[in-house]
Amino acid sequence: MLACDMSVAPFSDDPVAVLRHGGADALSLALMQARNRTLRWLSVFESVPAQLPPDAGRFSPPAWLAGHAGWFQDWWIARHVQRARGDAADPRAPRLASIEPAADRWWSPQASRRDQRWQMDLPQGDELRAWLMASFETTLDLLAQAGEGDDALFVFRAALWHELRLTEAWAELAQASDLPATLLEGLWPDGPALPARPALALPAGRWRLGSDRGGFVPEAERWAHERVLPESQIDARPVVWAQYVEFVADGGYDERRWWSDAGWAWLQAEQSEQGARVPRYVEQVRRGVVLRERGRLVHAPATQPVRHVTHHEAQAWCAWAGRRLPTEAEWERAECSLAARGFVWGEVWEWVADRAAPYPGHAPGALAVPAPAGQRVLRGASWLGAPALRHPRARRWADPARDHGFCGFRSCAL
């Protein structure tokens, strides 16, 4: 049975290895780098405070994103009396008081969902930066005392993973805010545009889906289990603009037969509100795709992966093309076994066919958050994401109607 070899040297400089297996010294450096990136993003938005997107309600404001990075470390490290127990800790155990009395009201996701008034009085400027500095210094002090071992380092690895996950939330907000490229230098590299590659055959076989125990394993990857897969054929790269434009030109957004019931309902609502007949941020498709990106209109290379598409759009394109979305087991097996034959990933997060759910036999750990009903699975990584998150077993979920993320898809033969 094929499997990915993700064994790493214990002191590797590989950012994936540092996140999942790194010791205290490596984690300390990685946490500092992650916090510096958070502060850079915060500075960008502080320089243009009036340019938040018209639909800003779909996004967390900059002061919340930055403050929440500090809150997560405060909640899980400084105030967490069971932190040395690692993933076995009781998440409901009493916490110590925060150095900021209003921290939970401002930055706890649960509190902010219950009370929308939190947006009115979030700390800004020097006050916010003082909070970020104080909470981060406590994190580093406690890390220096933590010792080694997976249990001792679990909350610190989790804090690094969480802050790195926010990287794309900043990028999504920047895109929706139409921030200019001059402000994003060093934070937003150019998107990928690789040559086209032929589809690849994936023989029938057994596959061990998910991650095994050892080091830091994000909740959604737990735990590895066997799947039996039929023979299939899978795209070597995600669907690109040249392919997607054919669907648009053929009236794909007007043909009910290509859309699921949920997809058609979404499309009608979007067309009523925004006249949507192309993916988000696409300005035109005639004579090439023109995107609004980084404060300007740009011609997207024909071989660049489609992005900012919903799961509904991905399914509709597949139906029109006579293909289907891969299952996540097919996707993961292809990534691990077909790389030498041309399978490319990491350009965009990719929608797959599966509904969001824990793997069979999953026992929730300390950081477990139930998958919201109706969400779908994304696999891979985005070129705008942190390199440490680029792992073949990585998975996340999102609302199938969400199109602000840097998400695309690839297809399989029926």
Side-chain angles (χ1 to χ4, degrees), residues 211-373:
S211 292
D212 289 305
R213 288 173 169 80
F216 174 74
V217 179
E219 194 75 27
E221 300 172 25
R222 304 178 187 183
W223 294 108
H225 58 288
E226 188 173 292
R227 295 280 182 91
V228 178
L229 299 179
E231 179 181 0
S232 61
Q233 181 202 68
I234 189 168
D235 292 339
R237 288 189 64 218
V239 169
V240 298
W241 287 117
Q243 297 169 289
Y244 198 85
V245 164
E246 294 181 17
F247 168 68
V248 177
D250 198 38
Y253 280 82
D254 300 310
E255 288 281 351
R256 170 66 181 87
R257 56 181 169 153
W258 307 130
W259 299 80
S260 67
D261 290 344
W264 189 249
W266 166 82
L267 182 60
Q268 298 310 297
E270 286 293 302
Q271 289 182 342
S272 173
E273 182 179 341
Q274 301 179 17
R277 280 185 168 80
V278 289
R280 184 171 291 274
Y281 306 125
V282 171
E283 294 290 322
Q284 71 172 47
V285 294
R286 296 177 181 176
R287 300 174 185 172
V289 173
V290 175
L291 300 173
R292 177 165 291 281
E293 182 176 273
R294 291 179 284 182
R296 59 191 177 186
L297 296 179
V298 296
H299 285 274
T303 58
Q304 191 174 75
V306 172
R307 56 181 180 269
H308 300 301
V309 292
T310 64
H311 189 272
H312 303 312
E313 289 166 298
Q315 281 189 318
W317 184 93
C318 287
W320 169 83
R323 295 180 69 80
R324 62 175 175 84
L325 291 174
T327 66
E328 62 173 320
E330 288 173 319
W331 189 98
E332 186 176 292
R333 186 184 177 205
E335 192 285 327
C336 290
S337 61
L338 299 180
R341 291 172 50 197
F343 187 91
V344 177
W345 68 287
E347 299 174 285
V348 289
W349 281 95
E350 299 178 37
W351 295 108
V352 292
D354 306 70
R355 296 184 181 275
Y359 287 145
H362 170 262
L367 297 174
V369 176

Side-chain angles (χ1 to χ4, degrees), residues 6 33 90 143 347 366:
M6 291 304 297
Q33 293 170 337
D90 182 357
L143 175 57
E347 299 174 285

Side-chain angles (χ1 to χ4, degrees), residues 56-216:
R58 299 192 185 196
F59 300 88
S60 299
W64 190 89
L65 285 174
H68 177 66
W71 175 87
F72 188 93
Q73 294 185 15
D74 185 53
W75 178 260
W76 283 104
I77 298 174
R79 300 163 58 190
H80 187 25
V81 296
Q82 294 188 15
R83 62 178 173 272
R85 296 184 60 194
D87 199 28
D90 182 357
R92 299 162 298 179
R95 294 299 208 274
L96 300 174
S98 175
I99 58 174
E100 170 48 68
D104 293 342
R105 180 171 65 86
W106 282 332
W107 295 304
S108 162
Q110 291 76 21
S112 63
R113 281 195 292 266
R114 289 194 303 268
D115 184 0
Q116 294 301 310
R117 291 174 298 176
W118 59 273
Q119 296 191 45
M120 303 298 294
D121 61 348
L122 285 174
Q124 308 282 338
D126 291 343
E127 184 182 1
L128 175 57
R129 289 172 183 275
W131 153 256
L132 291 170
M133 178 63 72
S135 58
F136 190 64
E137 286 179 347
T138 301
T139 293
L140 294 183
D141 288 344
L142 293 174
L143 175 57
Q145 305 168 29
E148 299 294 335
D150 288 344
D151 287 341
L153 297 175
F154 174 82
V155 292
F156 300 96
R157 292 168 178 164
L160 175 60
W161 175 81
H162 183 78
E163 190 149 355
L164 293 175
R165 283 282 300 266
L166 295 177
T167 298
E168 287 185 67
W170 286 109
E172 288 178 19
L173 183 58
Q175 171 73 346
S177 303
D178 210 21
L179 297 190
T182 53
L183 291 176
L184 302 176
E185 186 175 353
L187 293 170
W188 190 305
D190 290 334
L194 302 175
R197 302 188 180 209
L200 300 167
L202 194 64
R206 298 177 182 274
W207 181 249
R208 191 166 172 78
L209 178 66
S211 292
D212 289 305
R213 288 173 169 80
F216 174 74

Side-chain angles (χ1 to χ4, degrees), residues 380-399:
S382 158
W383 92 98
L384 285 171
L389 301 180
R390 187 186 167 96
H391 189 281
R393 308 287 186 176
R395 68 194 293 249
R396 63 174 65 173
W397 28 75
D399 189 304

